[in-house]
Each structure stands twice: as structure tokens, then as C-alpha cells.
Amino acid sequence: MTTLADLPLRDDLRGRTPYGAPQAAVGVPLNVNENSFGIPDVVRDDIAASLARVVSGVNRYPDREFTSLRHALASYLGHGLRADQLWAANGSNEVLQQVLQAFGGPGRTVLGFSPTYSMYPLLSSGVGSTWIAGERDEAFELGAETARRQVEQYQPDVVILCTPNNPTGTDIGLDVVEAVYEAANGIVIVDEAYQEFSDRESALTLLPGRERLFVSRTMSKAFAFAGVRVGYLAADPVAIDALRLVRLPYHLSALTQAAAEAALRHSEVMLANVAAIAAQRDRISSRLVELGYAPYRSAANFVLFGGVADPAGTFSRLLERDILIRDVGLPGHLRVTAGTEPETTAFLTALAEIGNDA
Ligand SMILES: *Cc1c(COP(=O)(O)O)cnc(C)c1O
């Protein structure tokens, strides 16, 4: 039988493991930080009608510049942004990949602050860049001095700041972004995938005058649109121009563009459950403390908690009860997404029943 070792794979990809969050059909999926609430009927109907309108024209390539979607994203974000400061792709993973293709690449370095989003090292190695796992402060916080010191030490070509950070939930102040930008000569990406759940001000306010800054967002989390695959970013129009050098032509399908525009027309309805989800997140944190676990401060729609005697055991005992959470590979820790009220109750009740014995 052929194995990967028999194929002429790139040397730098040998021995690497792909992204692999388990995908299991369970009653209570709380493992990949999706929005547990489905699409409201009024939005579903508008999306379906919009798709029906474009589908008869899919014999033609879509608008390569997705102009009308960029206008819609600019007005959704506000902050005085114009359409030429917006860019989108199939999930923010693709957006980040394009930034790394343009500004990372072979022989270059990408710095992030661990533990952080597991895709950053994979995206870096995919473009031939070296990932540098920087350190955080106590309790996975990240202060301006800690971040600045490491940017000065490593002089990376790209820095990725994830805020609120996955998997820790901790967010950072704009002072950290400013300090990193000042210290860096390269590109600074702020990944705000969970920004809608945070009370902190967005790094979008820092864009004027900072042409090396990219602020990325996604429709996959708060916006309840993970299945459609739409991520986007805001940056200087010249920085965005660089992404045209690496994107595939017509990378956003006509169907994706139409669905995203329809959803954005209903952004208030789509975001209606953000406060309810944040309330479930806070409920999880308080209850975890009562149960003897050590949750970290979270500004996102999930909670990372330590003090787990046997993470693999707890994970599988929850799975036996039809509840899927995430083992992010941190010893003694697990991560759980805040779901609907019944989902959250199911998780907390099961966790209390299971107990915390090794
Ligand atoms: C989920 C997530 C993303 C994005 O996902 P897409 O579905 O590709 O938009 C990006 N960054 C972080 C930190 C995430 O957790």
C-alpha cells in the first residue's frame, strides 16, 4: 500500500498533521465555536430568493471584485470604511492565507502568541514561512510590554494578534496593537473572529495612517454563517491590492456573494442572539468555578477551563452523553462553546454528573 512517505511531498510538509477538529453528528455540538442558533426564517427566505435570482446566470463567472459585497461589508463595519478598504474570501482562513501568501512566504517568519489559533502554524507552513510561537503573560493574558519585547526580539515579517484569542478567550486592549505595530517593521494582522462578543473597542479604529495593519473578521461565528464560508478584512487600499496578486481569479462564487449580501441586509436579526450567547458564556464560567474548575476570562463565545484531572476521559464521557466539546491539547484543559440555553444546561449537568476524577 502507498503511504505519504512514498510520494514526492515537499520536505517541509513531511510529518505535519492537518487541521482536525473532530466532526461527529451529535445532539449537542459545542466544539468549534459556531453560533448554535439557526438562520431566522425571514433571512432564509431572502437568501433563497437571492440565490434563485443569480443561479440562472451561473454559466458566467462572478464579479471577480465582488464589488457589491464589499460595499455591504463596509457599511456593516462602519468606522467610515470604504469599499476599497474591504476584502473577502472563503472564510477568514482563506483571507489569512492570502495575507501570508503576499507578505509571508518562503524564508519569512510569522509570530503569534501561544496558545493561539491552531491554523496559524498550518497556514504559515503552507506558504513556506516559519511560525514562531511567542509567549503570553500569566493566565494567558497579553500585555503591551510582553508583546513588544518579542516583536523586537524576533523581528518577524508578520505578526498575528488574535483577540479575543482562540482558544483562551482573553482579549487585548488597543494599546497592545499600537505597541506591536510600532515595534514591527512587517505586517500586523489583528484576527477579530470573535469581536462581536467582546466589549473592547475594535482595532478598526487604528486603521487610519497604519498601512501595514490588517483587521480580519468572519461571518462564521457571531454572524451564524459558518456553512457559507465568508471571511473578510479591512486594510489600506494599497495593502488590499497586494492580495490581488495571490488570490485565485473569481475566488468568491456568485452564490456565496449573493448569500452573504442577503444575510448582511439582515445583520441585526443575524446578530440578535449575541447577548444571549454571551450570557451563556458567563453562566458557564461561574458554574465551572462552583464545580471546582479554573476557567479563563473569556470575551468570546467559548470558555477554556483548567483543573481537568483527565481531559481525554471527560471528553469521551461527555461524548457518550451526545455532547461534543474540544480538547485543544493543553494539559489539564478543555474548551467548550457557549450554546443555546438548553445546550449549555446539558453540558453543565453532564459535567457535574461525570465528576473530575482522573
Ligand atoms: C473560527 C476562527 C476563524 C475563522 O474561520 P472561518 O470560518 O475560516 O472564517 C478565524 N480565526 C479564529 C481565531 C477562529 O477561531
Side-chain angles (χ1 to χ4, degrees):
M1 205 187 72
T2 309
T3 69
L4 209 43
D6 303 319
L7 296 178
L9 183 67
R10 273 166 42 187
D11 289 337
D12 59 324
L13 293 182
R14 287 192 187 278
R16 302 244 176 199
T17 29
Y19 177 84
Q23 270 198 309
V26 294
V28 185
L30 301 175
N31 64 326
V32 285
N33 303 337
E34 295 149 332
N35 188 323
S36 279
F37 293 87
I39 303 295
D41 290 356
V42 55
V43 190
R44 177 201 60 198
D45 294 347
D46 196 0
I47 292 172
S50 304
L51 292 176
R53 276 195 297 276
V54 298
V55 86
S56 52
V58 296
N59 55 310
R60 303 291 179 190
Y61 283 113
D63 174 11
R64 199 171 52 215
E65 287 293 313
F66 44 101
T67 312
S68 110
L69 175 58
R70 287 161 70 200
H71 279 280
L73 288 168
S75 70
Y76 166 68
L77 284 181
H79 290 91
L81 290 164
R82 299 182 319 266
D84 66 354
Q85 295 174 278
L86 266 294
W87 186 255
N90 298 283
S92 56
N93 276 293
E94 189 180 50
V95 171
L96 297 171
Q97 182 178 53
Q98 291 171 342
V99 177
L100 293 185
Q101 284 177 316
F103 295 99
R108 294 200 169 187
T109 54
V110 180
L111 171 68
F113 299 92
S114 287
T116 190
Y117 187 38
S118 64
M119 276 306 297
Y120 300 152
L122 285 171
L123 291 167
S124 301
S125 72
V127 302
S129 297
T130 302
W131 166 254
I132 302 171
E135 290 166 3
R136 292 180 168 262
D137 297 315
E138 198 63 19
F140 299 142
E141 300 286 347
L142 182 64
E145 276 323 302
T146 299
R148 183 209 303 272
R149 174 172 48 74
Q150 295 174 81
V151 171
E152 283 167 358
Q153 178 185 346
Y154 296 112
Q155 305 274 324
D157 296 288
V158 180
V159 185
I160 309 183
L161 293 166
C162 187
T163 179
N165 182 52
N166 181 7
T168 63
T170 46
D171 57 2
I172 56 176
L174 294 187
D175 61 315
V176 184
V177 182
E178 287 174 300
V180 164
Y181 190 87
E182 264 172 40
N185 297 313
I187 293 296
V188 177
I189 303 171
V190 182
D191 182 349
E192 293 189 344
Y194 301 96
Q195 174 63 26
E196 292 90 342
F197 297 104
S198 167
D199 297 328
R200 300 236 198 190
E201 212 175 354
S202 165
L204 291 170
T205 59
L206 298 179
L207 281 174
R210 291 186 178 83
E211 64 288 335
R212 292 178 287 111
L213 180 63
F214 288 86
V215 181
S216 101
R217 295 276 187 99
T218 180
M219 291 178 77
S220 296
K221 308 289 163 60
F223 216 89
F225 227 45
V228 181
R229 312 302 300 127
V230 185
Y232 53 101
L233 61 70
D236 188 278
V238 175
I240 288 199
D241 227 12
L243 304 181
R244 293 191 173 86
L245 297 170
V246 296
R247 63 96 175 272
L248 298 174
Y250 318 107
H251 67 287
L252 272 184
S253 85
L255 301 179
T256 302
Q257 293 183 42
E261 284 176 52
L264 286 162
R265 284 196 289 274
H266 302 273
S267 54
E268 273 174 40
V269 184
M270 293 296 280
L271 293 171
N273 292 308
V274 165
I277 294 166
Q280 294 306 313
R281 168 199 68 204
D282 295 341
R283 175 183 169 218
I284 291 172
S285 299
S286 332
R287 183 68 183 134
L288 284 173
V289 171
E290 289 171 8
L291 294 174
Y293 295 98
Y296 293 81
R297 183 177 74 81
S298 175
N301 66 337
F302 56 84
V303 178
L304 178 75
F305 55 104
V308 187
D310 175 15
T314 299
F315 175 89
S316 41
R317 264 165 253 142
L318 286 167
L319 194 52
E320 283 162 15
R321 290 166 168 79
D322 214 22
I323 299 164
L324 184 59
I325 68 166
R326 190 75 176 274
D327 184 346
V328 292
L330 287 174
H333 290 71
L334 288 169
R335 191 194 71 191
V336 63
T337 306
T340 60
E341 204 249 1
E343 287 173 337
T344 304
T345 301
F347 161 70
L348 291 172
T349 308
L351 190 68
E353 281 169 18
I354 289 166
N356 193 18
D357 300 320

